[in-house]
Every structure is written in structure tokens, then in C-alpha cells.
Amino acid sequence: AQTIHQWPVAEIKAVGSPLSLGCTIKGKSSPNLYWYWQATGGTLQQLFYSITVGQVESVVQLNLSASRPKDDQFILSTEKLLLSHSGFYLCAWSPGQGNQAPLFGEGTRLSVL
Amino acid sequence: AQSVTQPDARVTVSEGASLQLRCKYSYFGTPYLFWYVQYPRQGLQLLLKYYPGDPVVQGVNGFEAEFSKSNSSFHLRKASVHWSDWAVYFCAVSLLPGTGSNRLTFGKGTKFSLIP
């Protein structure tokens, strides 16, 4: 069975500090990968998606970047955090073929102070 | 542009009562639609999905949804709710169905709670 793991579970960071969030999918080769952001009490906004290693498409510009260094890994990062980056970050995956519903990880809660 | 509207920000019913959560979509063509549930401080879990075919789809935990092209709707229903259903429910539409890249646009969510 496929599993998706996000790390860390939660972060408290200072404005202007760097950030790196990770997501790993096990048990599935060549998945499509997605990053979503959820403001507290809000809806989900897609940030990035990737259909293959080394290829990442940006959907919304929030002074964040994403990379896919390995087939099973998706990284979200920034060199300088803003207060507006606070929220809940969710990674999701779907099979590379077909139109299966994306399945989500447990998320990382980020507080920027 | 594709969009999803969940007109009810909050729905409250008594335990054992029936539930309907509304979802309206805007999409040129035949959409792929989904309902997800989010329990407090957790990620999203898939409840059910609609791909073109039977308009009534069954999901987990007794949930079902009905697709209506004429009404541009995909309402979620449950015959009898339980305390474990207390959560936020999101409706979503796939932006690029048929391409293998299943990117979703979400509604704002409906917070479902039970009357104590």
C-alpha cells in the first residue's frame, strides 16, 4: 500500500528565516505530486505540482519554491519567510496515469512570528 | 474558469438526522468532482469521487453524492449522522480531467457540527 509522509509535523519560525518542508511517497513509482496551502479556517490553494523528477510547475506565486529531487520526494522551501506564509501545508499525490483522486498527507502546520 | 461554490459555510443538525451539504460547480464540459473531509488539525481524506457515469456515487462511512449537470451541482448526503461526522467538508473539481495530472480547485468548505 502507498503511504505519504510529511515532515515536520509543525514548525514555528521567525519572519525572514528560511524554510524547508518535505513530503515522501512510498509504494508508488512516478506519482504526480502536489503542494497545497490552507490558511487557518480557509480553503485549499494549490501551490505547485510535479509530474516527474526535476519538473515542477508553479500555480500560485507566494514567494515559495518547490523541487522534486527524487521520484518519491517533493520539497517546499523559501529563503525568507513572511508572516503571510503561516498556515497548513498539505502534500498530495495521485498516480501518474489515469484520473485517480489525489490523496493527502497529514500536513505541516507552520506559524511565522 | 473552473470554480466550486459551497454556499453554506456552516451546517448544524441533531445526531441521527439526515445531512445534505451543497456544492455548485462551474466547468466547461463534464467535470470530475470530489468530496473530501478534514477532521480537526488533520489532512484531507477522500470521501467519494465522481467520474462521468452513474450520477449517484457511494462513498465511505455511509456518504453518497449526486451529480446533476442541469443544476451544476454535486451535493453530499448522509441518511443519519453521527458525532464522528463532525468535521469540515470540501468539494473539489478537477482542473484537467483526462490528462493524468489531477489538479483540484476546492470550495471554501462547509463546517458541519451537531447540536449537543
Side-chain angles (χ1 to χ4, degrees), chain B residues 86-98:
Chain B
W86 193 318
V88 180
Y89 293 79
F90 290 96
C91 183
V93 63
S94 176
L95 293 178
L96 295 171

Side-chain angles (χ1 to χ4, degrees), chain A residues 32 34 36 38 41-44 46 49 51 59 88 90 94-107 109, chain B residues 32 34 36 38 41-44 46 49 51 90 94-104 106-109 111:
Chain A
N32 294 333
Y34 315 86
Y36 285 85
Q38 185 181 30
T43 191
L44 291 94
Q46 190 174 60
Y49 71 96
I51 62 173
V59 178
F88 198 41
L90 288 152
S94 64
Q97 300 297 323
N99 292 286
Q100 301 291 329
L103 300 178
F104 286 78
E106 288 300 309
R109 189 161 302 279
Chain B
Y32 287 33
F34 309 89
Y36 287 86
Q38 185 177 34
R41 307 186 74 80
Q42 293 187 23
L44 272 70
L46 179 68
K49 55 184 182 268
Y51 299 153
F90 290 96
S94 176
L95 293 178
L96 295 171
T99 67
S101 173
N102 220 346
R103 299 165 50 201
L104 303 181
F106 284 86
K108 292 186 176 181
K111 295 182 180 179

Side-chain angles (χ1 to χ4, degrees), chain A residues 23-36:
Chain A
C23 173
T24 298
I25 290 83
K26 295 300 183 186
K28 184 66 181 179
S29 61
S30 304
N32 294 333
L33 299 174
Y34 315 86
W35 277 112
Y36 285 85

